[in-house]
Amino acid sequence: MIRKDILPNTWGDDWCGGSPAAVRVEAGQTATLLLCGDQDAPLFGCADNHMADTSLQLDIEEGASVHLYRLQGPFTDARHITDTRITMQRDASLAMCTITLGGGHVRNNVEVRMKGEGCTLQADGLYLIDREQECDNYIFVEHAKPHCQSRELYKGIVDDSARARFNGHVLVQDGAVKTEAYQTNRNILLTDKAHVDTRPFLEIYNDDVKCSHGSTIGQLDEQAMFYLMTRGISQRNAITMLSYAFCDEVIRGIAVESLRDAVGDMVKKRLHGELTSCADCAIACKNPCNGPDANFVIDPAKL
């Protein structure tokens, strides 16, 4: 195993560089890890403060706390596969978030094993894909000990002929009493050619648990669209505003303020097609992306 020193829980100071195959966070320590491809890092303002987006073994020891962020911009390689394997010891906590803003075929594999009592996991994901792009998110969580909690929230917007897949598997072992495990996958399809496969799954071998799973696939709310347009907002901006409001729940969960702001800005640009030529906009439009209709400010609290 390659052992790295504990990363500071700050944004922009002495961040760990390079591409370690394994990271161990020692007992009682706090760490923030950022995984990002070199070509995507400048888009999020973190060119010097990231590790290579590759396979990772993460061991979180007793009482340690970790924030793990994976950022994948619209210029991800044609086929990009990541593999993340995580073990958690007693009273460890992990908050992880995967942001995917495009790519050819992106597949993120995550495996989390809770090997001690009192572990806490929050796993979020956001994917925005269009054209013929594909995004697969596979996450497996094992509750092997009592009094552990896991919450998963994955949300996606799929446009054109793109295809997304979510496969979530929670395993509650015999003896893992007082387990709490929740899975949610929500999707918006912007065209009749877009496609989503969603399979949240619970495997439980204990009666004393609180577990649930659910998924939704639908379109933007037509009544909300009509309301915004009656207030003088164009259809294009109304679509963008509602789409961003849908994404905001995941964005607000990012604990690092500067990173949260950077991701929010990138999502707005991605939704409005500013990261691609107009012919390839995430939302089909007849107006140029640099036209007057492209100027907008989104305040989710007012939606």
Side-chain angles (χ1 to χ4, degrees), residues 244-245 248 252 298-303:
Y244 185 83
D248 187 62
R252 283 188 286 108
I298 296 176
D299 184 355
K302 296 180 179 179
L303 294 177

Side-chain angles (χ1 to χ4, degrees), residues 5-288:
D5 291 336
I6 301 305
L7 304 183
N9 189 21
T10 57
W11 173 245
D13 298 326
D14 300 327
W15 209 277
C16 178
S19 54
V23 174
R24 184 176 69 182
V25 182
E26 295 179 347
Q29 297 297 313
T30 300
T32 300
L33 308 179
L34 178 61
L35 305 178
C36 193
D38 289 338
Q39 58 189 350
D40 299 323
L43 298 173
F44 294 98
C46 51
D48 299 323
N49 304 317
H50 70 283
M51 296 184 293
D53 187 8
T54 184
S55 298
L56 174 68
Q57 172 69 47
L58 173 61
D59 298 313
I60 308 175
E61 297 189 352
E62 182 175 342
S65 177
V66 175
H67 286 83
L68 173 63
Y69 301 105
R70 170 170 272 121
L71 308 177
Q72 298 168 326
F75 310 121
T76 305
D77 293 337
R79 183 172 180 84
H80 187 65
I81 300 176
T82 68
D83 189 53
T84 305
R85 300 178 184 272
I86 302 168
T87 60
M88 304 177 67
Q89 303 301 328
R90 184 183 182 93
D91 295 325
S93 66
L94 170 65
M96 58 183 299
C97 184
T98 301
I99 305 292
T100 305
L101 301 185
H105 185 175
V106 179
R107 174 165 175 160
N108 298 309
N109 301 315
V110 178
E111 177 184 290
V112 182
R113 297 187 182 273
M114 299 179 177
K115 297 187 174 182
E117 294 188 26
C119 294
T120 303
L121 167 68
Q122 177 68 50
D124 294 340
L126 177 64
Y127 44 93
L128 309 178
I129 55 176
D130 61 358
R131 290 170 282 178
E132 296 182 353
Q133 297 170 349
E134 297 184 45
C135 180
D136 303 342
N137 285 292
Y138 295 86
I139 178 168
F140 169 80
V141 179
E142 178 188 24
H143 289 256
K145 298 294 182 179
H147 302 283
C148 293
Q149 299 180 4
S150 67
R151 288 176 169 80
E152 300 171 28
L153 175 62
Y154 278 73
K155 306 182 79 171
I157 298 179
V158 185
D159 197 6
D160 298 329
S161 298
R163 187 182 188 112
R165 302 174 185 87
F166 172 80
N167 192 327
H169 181 185
V170 172
L171 171 62
V172 181
Q173 298 282 20
D174 185 21
V177 298
K178 305 299 181 181
T179 288
E180 294 187 24
Y182 308 99
Q183 282 183 323
T184 303
N185 178 227
R186 298 173 182 163
N187 299 274
I188 289 179
L189 305 183
L190 296 182
T191 70
D192 57 2
K193 294 182 180 180
H195 190 90
V196 171
D197 296 312
T198 176
R199 296 184 179 89
F201 175 62
L202 300 174
E203 185 178 359
I204 303 172
Y205 298 99
N206 198 292
D207 293 332
D208 190 7
V209 300
K210 294 181 180 179
C211 299
S212 67
H213 60 68
S215 63
T216 60
I217 301 174
Q219 292 77 39
L220 291 174
D221 190 325
E222 293 184 0
Q223 291 186 344
M225 283 279 297
F226 177 77
Y227 174 83
L228 291 174
M229 293 174 66
T230 60
R231 267 58 183 176
I233 297 173
S234 69
Q235 181 181 19
R236 183 177 178 224
N237 274 351
I239 293 174
T240 304
M241 294 174 70
L242 291 175
S243 298
Y244 185 83
F246 175 80
C247 301
D248 187 62
E249 184 178 6
V250 174
I251 297 171
R252 283 188 286 108
I254 298 176
V256 181
E257 182 179 0
S258 55
L259 179 59
R260 181 171 62 248
D261 293 342
V263 170
D265 184 62
M266 282 292 295
V267 169
K268 292 176 186 178
K269 292 179 179 178
R270 179 70 173 94
L271 289 170
H272 216 268
E274 294 180 32
L275 302 181
T276 57
S277 62
C278 192
D280 294 328
C281 278
I283 299 174
C285 63
K286 296 181 180 179
N287 300 319

